[in-house]
Amino acid sequence: MSCSDITYHRLMGRWAPGTRERLQQVALELFRRDGYDATTVADIAGAAEVTERTFYRYFTDKREVLFDGQDQLGAAFVDGVAGAPTGATPMEIAAAGLDHAGAFFTAERRAWSRGRQAVIESDPALRERELLKLAALADRLADALRDRGITDPQARLCADAALSVFRTTFARWLADGEGRSFGDLQRETLSTLQSLSAPNQT
Amino acid sequence: MSCSDITYHRLMGRWAPGTRERLQQVALELFRRDGYDATTVADIAGAAEVTERTFYRYFTDKREVLFDGQDQLGAAFVDGVAGAPTGATPMEIAAAGLDHAGAFFTAERRAWSRGRQAVIESDPALRERELLKLAALADRLADALRDRGITDPQARLCADAALSVFRTTFARWLADGEGRSFGDLQRETLSTLQSLSAPNQT
């Protein structure tokens, strides 16, 4: 397969810094150009000028190229929740988790995230995987809230609400022409959630 | 396989009333006794004294025995939302959907639902299927809210919040020793959600 439009500098060595990111970038370009199903690990490794074996040092399979980073995202939620001030309300504690996790989504990351989302939307199995990963993230957040002394059903409801805010923010942040930061959009989305009991305009 | 503990009156005919319910009851008993994986459609049909062909008139596969009814549940949400009074807040409109759907879960249904949940918890693939079905239910509810003139991100946030209340209520309703009605628990869960911004006790 020709990869003339994807040119990269030759690696210094197998563990060169940036290999993971380059594999992700190359994979995303191939997924978008040729389709997710049609792209193989061999194609990705070839385009990134590494061996398949090197690919498998970073990712268990092709799908994980798109879902890598979920562990760090979960850890960011948990750290934010753990660091929220004593005496905060359950929703304020969850909001601290959201703020902390939101820092993940920098302006530099936006183009990658948009491309990734387009690939996920193109494939029902990837969409299902995304939903399940978000559910796992909500479970992790609920555990972190329980560690802060919040009992059920509050912890469960609060974690679900926070994940809904996160997911909604993410979709807004990826929208064409949207230029506001993830953090700003997320704070606005949270306050929209809290206004749902206010009178409807219609 | 011996089914001596599962005895049923012989059918009057292939379309006898109650066949669907009897197949579900028999399947659940076999899933619980022998395990979900070990139970075949032939086992279920045999224990219910119908042919496999009759089984497939009601269910596309073994899994659907557990997820049948999701369409009616979704329709109940939608009807409740459509019937909410003009001028209600988004959350009040969603609550009307919850109330309407809650009527589904009668006292008579509780034992079946508890058994079903035990089977689902025993199998990771069934747990994933359940999460995906709940996500589809949230999407359907979001559409119903949009039909009521609620725009995004409100519709999405409100649908997610309502589904979280529903799911949390469902877990509470199934808990050992819990005797309150689904509707009562659901109204309590909704008011708990609305109190999440109140000061934490810890």
Side-chain angles (χ1 to χ4, degrees):
Chain A
M1 142 193 237
S2 152
C3 293
S4 56
D5 53 336
I6 307 171
T7 311
Y8 288 94
H9 296 295
R10 187 162 286 282
L11 270 180
M12 309 290 278
R14 292 188 314 184
W15 292 100
T19 303
R20 172 187 300 273
E21 292 71 20
R22 202 176 65 259
L23 282 166
Q24 288 184 301
Q25 197 62 47
V26 166
L28 189 60
E29 291 179 33
L30 294 177
F31 292 161
R32 298 205 71 185
R33 194 187 69 185
D34 304 328
Y36 175 76
D37 272 342
T39 302
T40 65
V41 167
D43 294 334
I44 299 166
E49 299 188 347
V50 300
T51 62
E52 285 189 60
R53 195 166 158 177
T54 297
F55 176 93
Y56 287 114
R57 279 207 190 87
Y58 292 95
F59 305 103
T60 50
D61 56 30
K62 178 174 84 165
R63 195 174 65 181
E64 277 313 300
V65 171
L66 297 169
F67 293 103
D68 182 58
Q70 296 269 340
D71 270 358
Q72 292 111 289
L73 182 59
F77 269 115
V78 169
D79 287 350
V81 164
T86 314
T89 67
M91 222 38 227
E92 285 166 350
I93 293 175
L98 286 172
D99 263 342
H100 209 73
F104 225 67
F105 301 98
T106 59
E108 296 73 49
R109 205 183 167 93
R110 208 169 201 152
W112 152 264
S113 293
R114 281 185 173 135
R116 172 187 176 277
Q117 203 62 28
V119 173
I120 288 176
E121 297 298 334
S122 74
D123 186 295
L126 291 176
R127 280 209 302 276
E128 292 198 349
R129 183 55 37 192
E130 167 111 309
L131 284 171
L132 296 171
K133 292 270 187 179
L134 287 169
L137 215 48
D139 288 348
R140 195 160 168 192
L141 181 56
D143 280 340
L145 292 170
R146 290 180 195 115
D147 285 345
R148 285 298 306 260
I150 300 166
T151 52
D152 278 309
Q154 280 87 345
R156 177 81 258 164
L157 292 166
C158 199
D160 285 353
L163 252 287
S164 172
V165 167
F166 170 75
R167 192 183 150 200
T168 303
T169 303
F170 195 67
R172 297 178 72 190
W173 183 67
L174 295 182
D176 283 342
E178 178 56 65
R180 282 173 291 174
S181 76
F182 193 96
D184 284 352
L185 286 167
Q186 190 159 255
R187 281 181 285 276
E188 186 182 280
T189 305
L190 182 59
S191 97
T192 300
L193 172 67
Q194 290 168 326
S195 73
L196 285 178
S197 299
N200 188 3
Q201 305 304 311
T202 57
Chain B
M1 143 194 236
S2 153
C3 294
S4 56
D5 54 336
I6 307 172
T7 311
Y8 288 94
H9 296 295
R10 187 161 287 280
L11 271 179
M12 307 290 279
R14 292 188 313 183
W15 293 99
T19 304
R20 172 186 299 273
E21 292 71 21
R22 202 175 66 261
L23 281 165
Q24 288 183 302
Q25 197 62 47
V26 166
L28 189 60
E29 291 178 34
L30 294 177
F31 291 161
R32 299 206 70 185
R33 195 187 68 186
D34 304 328
Y36 175 76
D37 272 342
T39 302
T40 65
V41 167
D43 294 334
I44 298 166
E49 298 188 348
V50 299
T51 62
E52 285 188 60
R53 196 166 157 176
T54 296
F55 175 94
Y56 286 115
R57 281 209 189 85
Y58 292 95
F59 305 104
T60 50
D61 56 30
K62 179 174 85 166
R63 195 174 65 181
E64 277 312 300
V65 171
L66 297 169
F67 293 103
D68 183 58
Q70 296 268 340
D71 270 357
Q72 292 112 288
L73 182 60
F77 268 114
V78 169
D79 288 350
V81 164
T86 314
T89 68
M91 223 37 227
E92 285 166 349
I93 294 175
L98 286 171
D99 263 343
H100 209 72
F104 225 68
F105 301 97
T106 59
E108 296 73 47
R109 205 184 166 93
R110 207 170 202 150
W112 152 264
S113 292
R114 281 185 173 134
R116 172 186 175 278
Q117 204 61 29
V119 173
I120 287 175
E121 298 298 334
S122 74
D123 186 296
L126 291 176
R127 280 209 302 276
E128 292 198 349
R129 184 54 38 191
E130 168 111 310
L131 284 171
L132 296 171
K133 292 270 188 179
L134 287 169
L137 215 49
D139 288 346
R140 196 162 168 190
L141 182 56
D143 280 339
L145 293 169
R146 290 180 195 116
D147 286 345
R148 287 296 308 259
I150 301 167
T151 51
D152 278 311
Q154 280 87 345
R156 177 81 258 164
L157 291 166
C158 199
D160 285 353
L163 252 289
S164 173
V165 166
F166 170 76
R167 192 182 151 201
T168 303
T169 302
F170 196 67
R172 296 178 72 191
W173 183 65
L174 296 182
D176 284 342
E178 177 56 65
R180 282 172 292 173
S181 75
F182 193 95
D184 285 351
L185 286 167
Q186 190 159 254
R187 280 181 287 277
E188 187 182 280
T189 305
L190 182 59
S191 96
T192 299
L193 172 66
Q194 290 169 325
S195 73
L196 284 178
S197 299
N200 189 4
Q201 304 304 310
T202 56

